[in-house]
């Protein structure tokens, strides 16, 4: 029998002040986490979305891969600049008189009998296991040095292209992020409009039954409710598509379960940021710098191609060991050579290289000019787009206020029998369209801000300051 089962239970040790304090802290932390658990996961901020895209977006990953490839190419010319060391070993068997006599000399085993004419003319099969350490040191190879410079400039150009690609991806993600929020706002607005239209149809039907309205009033209200339902169904479908577009822009197409803010940033915050972006001074753009570096790289490569006509100077040092049947034999010798070569004609290879490199230089220079011109055009275009977006938002906000007031007036007139159901439905439709247009105007302004920042060489990441403003108001909700 287990006597421990019959023993009285042990009394717990008294808890000291430190233990009670630790328990109190854990209890407070647990209670503090309950509201967060009840609220669910935190919304995905635009900063979070941009961080995902920076790491995972397809265009960014492709650009980084191209930059890595260009960086690796900087190592290709190094054999013409840095020394090389290699170890060689091999087995030779020959009955050639000169070869056999040379093997005997290398193995340091010549005797007087080896000079016998019969042995010289008809030697036995000779065997040698040779091991050599070879060091080659380039002294002057102009094409290697210039090729190294061209590759280095090309790698720098590729890295600047990565920065430009990341800026473009951020604009795309900002557009997709707020586009998904816009889709949710539009669907919510249309759901509220549909509910209002159904209520209007119910009231119109009741008035017809009481003889206070014509049957056409009820039919028109029902038709209007059906039209809004069609729009609402399309808006609901667009929500899923917009979320998928955002996931693709972030490079995470399988993850669409994120939570988004309930509304777009408030208009005053948007206008303030837009004004700063509108007056931002241009700074050197990454794409222009990339094109300039690519042009310099092509110029260096053209110089490399021209240097193929120059002489080359290199040295080679060898240390050889020889033995009849084993590597690393005891018989040794060394050799040091200095070699100069001057290519005079090799079938037109150098000329083909020179002409090709010159054409690439012309193309790269033209691309640099085009990049500068394109940057100036984009600055002018995004300035105009941002100004138009600001004006559009101002007009849209005024339309929301005016259409809302107009609808309230028509509703009071309709309730007093002074307005027809057609006027009521028209006012409701105008109010809904104005709210949808206001939300679209906010989205257009957000995209215009991001595009303007990229155009002047600034980082679109500045738009993340609106994170705390997103969802502060339920945009475009009728009856707000």
């Amino acid at each position: 029998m287990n006597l421990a089962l019959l023993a009285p239970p042990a009394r717990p040790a008294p808890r000291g002040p430190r233990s009670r304090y630790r328990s109190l802290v854990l209890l407070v932390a647990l209670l503090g986490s309950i509201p967060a658990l009840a609220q669910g996961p935190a919304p995905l901020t635009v900063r979070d979305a941009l961080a995902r895209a920076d790491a995972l977006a397809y265009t960014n990953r492709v650009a980084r891969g191209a930059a890595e490839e260009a960086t690796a190419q900087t190592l290709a010319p190094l054999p013409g600049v840095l020394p090389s060391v290699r170890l060689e070993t091999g087995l030779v068997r020959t009955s050639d008189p000169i070869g056999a006599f040379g093997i005997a000399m290398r193995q340091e085993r010549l005797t007087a009998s080896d000079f016998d004419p019969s042995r010289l003319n008809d030697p036995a099969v000779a065997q040698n296991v040779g091991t050599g350490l070879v060091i080659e040191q380039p002294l002057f190879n102009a094409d290697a040095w210039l090729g190294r410079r061209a590759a280095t400039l090309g790698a720098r150009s590729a890295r600047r292209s990565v920065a430009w690609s990341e800026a473009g991806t951020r604009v795309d993600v900002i557009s997709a992020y707020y586009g998904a929020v816009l889709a949710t706002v539009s669907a919510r607005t249309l759901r509220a409009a549909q509910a209002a239209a159904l209520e209007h149809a119910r009231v119109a039907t009741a008035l017809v039954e009481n003889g206070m309205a014509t049957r056409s009033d009820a039919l028109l209200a029902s038709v209007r409710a059906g039209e809004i339902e069609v729009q609402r169904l399309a808006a609901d479908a667009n929500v899923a598509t917009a979320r998928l577009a955002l996931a693709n822009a972030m490079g995470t197409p399988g993850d669409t379960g994120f939570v988004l803010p309930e509304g777009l940033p408030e208009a005053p915050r948007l206008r303030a940021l837009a004004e700063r972006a509108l007056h931002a001074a241009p700074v050197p753009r990454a794409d222009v710098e990339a094109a300039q570096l690519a042009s310099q790289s092509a110029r260096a490569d053209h110089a490399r191609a021209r240097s193929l006509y120059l002489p080359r100077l290199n040295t080679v040092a060898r240390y050889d060991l020889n033995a009849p049947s084993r590597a690393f034999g005891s018989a040794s010798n060394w050799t040091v050579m200095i070699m100069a070569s001057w290519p005079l004609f090799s079938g037109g290879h150098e000329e083909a290289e020179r002409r090709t490199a010159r054409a690439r230089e012309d193309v790269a220079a033209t691309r640099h000019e085009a990049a500068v011109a394109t940057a100036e055009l984009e600055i002018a275009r995004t300035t105009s787009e941002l100004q138009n977006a600001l004006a559009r938002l101002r007009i849209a906000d005024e339309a929301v206020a005016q259409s809302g007031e107009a609808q309230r007036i028509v509703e009071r007139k309709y309730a007093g029998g002074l307005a027809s159901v057609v006027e009521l439905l028209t006012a409701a439709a105008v109010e809904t369209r104005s709210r949808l247009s206001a939300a679209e105007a906010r989205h257009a302004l957000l995209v215009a801000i991001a595009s303007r920042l990229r155009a002047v060489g600034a980082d679109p990441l500045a738009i993340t300051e609106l994170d705390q403003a997103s969802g502060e108001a339920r945009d475009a909700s009728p009856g707000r």
Side-chain angles (χ1 to χ4, degrees), residues 237-255:
N238 189 44
V239 170
T241 303
R243 294 176 70 88
L244 182 59
L246 173 57
N248 285 343
M250 293 188 298
T252 57
D255 180 13

Side-chain angles (χ1 to χ4, degrees), residues 321-347:
L321 298 172
N322 298 277
S325 59
R326 63 183 180 86
F328 303 101
S330 58
S332 62
N333 56 77
W334 57 268
T335 305
V336 175
M337 295 182 290
I338 298 179
M339 297 177 294
S341 61
W342 194 341
L344 300 178
F345 181 73
S346 58

Side-chain angles (χ1 to χ4, degrees), residues 144-373:
W145 286 98
L146 291 170
R148 169 73 171 174
R149 172 170 171 75
T152 301
L153 289 169
R156 290 172 57 191
S157 173
R159 287 192 290 271
R160 296 308 293 154
S161 295
V162 172
W164 183 246
S165 174
E166 290 175 346
T169 298
R170 286 174 178 175
V171 174
D172 294 340
V173 170
I174 289 169
S175 177
Y177 177 87
Y178 288 113
V181 178
L182 171 64
T184 302
V185 170
S186 299
R188 186 172 65 239
T189 300
L190 287 169
R191 281 195 297 272
Q194 182 185 4
L198 290 173
E199 178 62 18
H200 292 158
R202 186 191 66 79
V203 171
T205 301
L207 292 175
V208 170
E209 293 175 352
N210 294 328
M212 299 175 63
T214 64
R215 185 166 178 270
S216 62
D217 291 341
L219 292 175
L220 288 173
S222 179
V223 169
R224 176 57 186 163
E227 291 175 350
I228 295 179
E229 182 179 8
V230 171
Q231 297 177 26
R232 192 265 305 165
L233 291 173
D236 287 342
N238 189 44
V239 170
T241 303
R243 294 176 70 88
L244 182 59
L246 173 57
N248 285 343
M250 293 188 298
T252 57
D255 180 13
T256 58
F258 42 77
V259 177
L260 293 174
E262 292 188 357
L264 295 164
E266 290 185 330
R269 301 285 301 270
L270 274 176
R271 291 192 184 93
L273 180 59
E275 290 295 336
R276 292 201 301 273
L278 190 60
H279 296 94
V283 297
R285 293 186 7 162
D287 63 326
V288 176
E289 292 178 336
Q292 183 179 19
L293 289 167
S295 178
Q296 294 173 358
S297 174
R299 191 179 306 119
D301 188 62
H302 187 197
R304 175 201 63 80
R306 292 197 304 269
S307 73
L308 294 175
Y309 290 103
L310 297 177
R312 297 177 176 84
L313 188 63
N314 298 284
T315 62
V316 178
R318 299 182 59 97
Y319 182 74
D320 294 286
L321 298 172
N322 298 277
S325 59
R326 63 183 180 86
F328 303 101
S330 58
S332 62
N333 56 77
W334 57 268
T335 305
V336 175
M337 295 182 290
I338 298 179
M339 297 177 294
S341 61
W342 194 341
L344 300 178
F345 181 73
S346 58
H349 168 71
E350 291 85 356
E351 183 62 16
E353 281 277 325
R354 187 187 67 79
R355 292 186 181 184
T356 302
R358 184 179 63 186
R360 285 198 293 259
E361 181 183 6
D362 292 341
V363 170
T366 303
R367 286 177 175 170
H368 179 215
E369 293 178 12
V372 173

